[in-house]
Amino acid sequence: MKRSEQKLNIAGVKFGIILIMTAMCLAGCTKEEAFVDSCDSEIAEQVTSIMQESQKGCYNLENCEVFVTEESKKDGYVVRRMTFQADWKRVREPIDDPLIQGMLQARDELESPEEKEAAGKIIDGYIVEMNSEPESERIETKFVAKISLENETFELFYPFVQEGEETLLPFWEYVEENWLENTEKRMQEGHKRLRRLINTEKGLNQSL
């Protein structure tokens, strides 16, 4: 065999190897992309369920949408910054809000007719303010999905920003701590708030 033919055969083998490696790489990339894309519906379903549960009894979340705003790759993860949008429709009347219920309880405990009258005016002011809120409003919530290509799993985070610094907090834990309503705690807050306002008003009247 001539040297030139040997060179051609070697070149042909190298080219073939390159083609095979390229095909394998493309197949791997295609598989990864397919997995990442397959996460979309599950992520949307989870986030929608969490958000609706967090506002249950206060708002109905309708016309929900989830979409990607930014994507990057880092350390074997696909990081997607995403947005949840929904129409928040108010379903609870202000009088049924635990905050108002706590205020009403505090008012009933007052002995002085003058204090009860003042408490009634304070409560009415809160109800008017609550009623001034729109019955339906489109609101968006930012979150981050970290998708592991190796384990084929994903995690959801809330991008909490304080003093310009962003911290990714587990999404459900953040929602549970900050958005899920604690009825008893909110009633106690309403009770304390009314008593504090009445005491402040009493102090001002005594100083006149």
Side-chain angles (χ1 to χ4, degrees):
M1 183 181 292
K2 295 180 179 179
R3 187 178 296 273
S4 59
E5 291 177 347
Q6 288 180 335
K7 288 182 178 179
L8 285 172
N9 287 338
I10 292 170
V13 170
K14 287 183 177 178
F15 184 66
I17 292 172
I18 292 171
L19 284 176
I20 292 170
M21 292 178 67
T22 302
M24 290 174 64
C25 181
L26 288 173
C29 292
T30 303
K31 183 183 177 182
E32 288 179 358
E33 289 174 1
F35 167 68
V36 171
D37 290 339
S38 72
C39 292
D40 286 350
S41 59
E42 192 173 349
I43 289 172
E45 186 178 325
Q46 279 196 27
V47 171
T48 300
S49 177
I50 290 171
M51 292 301 296
Q52 288 178 332
E53 182 64 25
S54 74
Q55 301 303 318
K56 192 174 182 180
C58 304
Y59 296 90
N60 281 343
L61 271 57
E62 303 173 347
N63 303 317
C64 303
E65 290 182 289
V66 175
F67 53 88
V68 180
T69 56
E70 186 181 327
E71 181 176 304
S72 61
K73 277 188 178 182
K74 185 179 181 181
D75 300 331
Y77 287 89
V78 172
V79 180
R80 282 185 164 178
R81 291 186 176 272
M82 306 179 76
T83 298
F84 170 83
Q85 280 188 350
D87 294 326
W88 292 43
K89 185 177 180 181
R90 182 157 53 92
V91 294
R92 182 172 69 188
E93 293 299 323
I95 193 67
D96 297 322
D97 190 309
L99 186 78
I100 299 298
Q101 290 296 310
M103 288 183 166
L104 290 170
Q105 187 181 70
R107 181 200 62 186
D108 293 342
E109 294 171 358
L110 296 171
E111 296 180 1
S112 163
E114 291 79 14
E115 288 182 346
K116 286 189 175 184
E117 183 180 356
K121 291 179 179 178
I122 291 171
I123 294 169
D124 288 344
Y126 271 85
I127 291 175
V128 168
E129 185 178 347
M130 288 179 176
N131 273 323
S132 68
E133 296 177 2
E135 290 189 6
S136 182
E137 184 178 7
R138 190 141 187 94
I139 297 175
E140 65 177 34
T141 303
K142 305 291 185 181
F143 68 98
V144 175
K146 288 184 70 175
I147 304 169
S148 171
L149 300 175
E150 181 181 354
N151 300 323
E152 295 193 348
T153 57
F154 66 82
E155 296 178 280
L156 302 176
F157 297 90
Y158 181 81
F160 178 72
V161 178
Q162 186 174 38
E163 297 180 355
E165 293 291 328
E166 181 183 86
T167 304
L168 295 181
L169 303 176
F171 190 71
W172 170 247
E173 290 181 17
Y174 182 85
V175 170
E176 191 174 32
E177 185 174 340
N178 295 277
W179 297 341
L180 277 181
E181 183 173 82
N182 185 320
T183 301
E184 184 178 349
K185 186 176 180 181
R186 190 164 172 81
M187 281 188 69
Q188 290 174 354
E189 170 60 26
H191 188 282
K192 290 178 182 178
R193 190 178 299 183
L194 184 76
R195 294 302 295 258
R196 185 169 61 249
L197 290 169
I198 289 297
N199 288 335
T200 300
E201 187 171 304
K202 186 192 296 187
L204 288 173
N205 289 335
Q206 289 175 350
S207 65
L208 294 177

